[in-house]
Amino acid sequence: MRAALTLIPSGLLLLVGGLLLSWRDAHPIEHPTHRSPRSVRTQGPPTVGATFQSVGSSPSTTGYKTVEKSARSPADLSLEQGIFWPRELEQALPMGFSLEGAEQWRNTARSAGIVALEKGCGRSTNRMATLSDGSRVCLRYGINPEQIQGELLSYYLSRILGLRGVPPCVLSRVGSPQWAPVQSELGATGWTQGALVSFTPWMQNLSLVLPPMALRAKDGKLRPLRTELSNGAANMLELAQWADLILFDYLTANFDRLVSNLFSLQWDPHIMLRGTNNLHRTPEGDLVLLDNEAGFAHGYRLLGTWDKYNEQLLGTVCVFRRSLVRKLREAHLARNVAQELQALYLQEEPLAAELGLLSEAQAQILQDRVGLVFKHILSCQDRYS
């Protein structure tokens, strides 16, 4: 797991908690069959074109779309309705891994032969592989199957939510014909023949990412991301990606990114200055969310240990993308996010059923967390709109 690469004042936490409790009757998000939850006012969706770079041998991220390089005053880029990023900024956000490019990469990763293996890509049980087309991939052999499942489901949830910073991934069976060129080397990996491993693209020229200043204050307290909005358009572009990341990791209960940094503060007060775990930046400015194995089943099983940190981070976010809010509202009202996720997973990944799906209890946790995030969005709307 890549290592190397976030606290809100306690009074504000109590305020948020009190507000959420007081809204239970006014905004019955938990029971949509009785009354419809109040709608977040988005005033219509912005048109965001899905323009991407060509792929080459591995999926490419687009970087920022055309943003005027001239200095923009904070007034020119003020929040809309108090909780939404400016439309111009939303349209300028990096679109990450394109759907077209990811599909091409997944087809290649499933069909190309593995011609070389070498150590790399995090844990000692992982490997970097060279495929017959010359591209390289990271092979992850989970300590248990739920970690590999977390990697796959995280990718497909990111697609449903319209988040493009999670690298595509596919499953492969160790020892299948694809592995024939390196069959003699498999014994040294310690992998079980027939086990399922995940493939993700190997990406070069990535850099470490420090959390925003609001998440690494000298006093060790988290502050709302909004406190940094006066620093101009470039800063807002990155803050918007951080907001997406925090919401995403809350939904999946991933504890192996910013949460692990928070946890480590108790014995390492400088951890926030050494980069965020499992997060890198491309030269174009995209934040890439790597190694998502701690999400879903693994994270849900350990909620009692880690969730207080995810909750603290969620409390720092009160600015959102309209498209993400719309999708969360739809998923909350329909109460079918797990079904939608697993349907996409089964459709796109031939080995999905064999690796396994979310249990009924895990599916309910995901649905509940969607509801909690949507309730948080409503509380932000009441405070700032």
Side-chain angles (χ1 to χ4, degrees), residues 311-329:
E311 290 173 354
Q312 290 173 25
L313 288 166
L314 178 63
T316 69
V317 180
C318 257
V319 192
F320 313 95
R321 283 190 300 111
R322 291 169 182 79
S323 59
L324 180 55
V325 170
R326 282 197 307 275
K327 185 59 195 179
L328 289 169
R329 182 177 185 276

Side-chain angles (χ1 to χ4, degrees), residues 144-170:
N144 54 54
E146 70 180 19
Q147 291 180 296
I148 302 301
Q149 184 195 68
E151 186 84 56
L152 272 289
L153 289 178
S154 292
Y155 169 63
Y156 287 107
L157 180 63
S158 75
R159 281 186 43 178
I160 288 172
L161 297 177
L163 307 179
R164 298 288 180 252
V166 179
C169 50
V170 299

Side-chain angles (χ1 to χ4, degrees), residues 153 157 160 296 300 331 334-346 357-367 370:
L153 289 178
L157 180 63
I160 288 172
F296 286 102
Y300 292 170
R335 301 193 64 81
N336 67 347
V337 63
Q339 294 92 321
E340 183 180 1
L341 171 60
Q342 298 193 140
L344 179 62
Y345 176 44
L346 288 166
L357 307 176
L358 292 176
S359 68
E360 184 176 343
Q362 291 163 352
Q364 186 60 53
I365 292 173
L366 174 59
Q367 186 64 57
V370 167

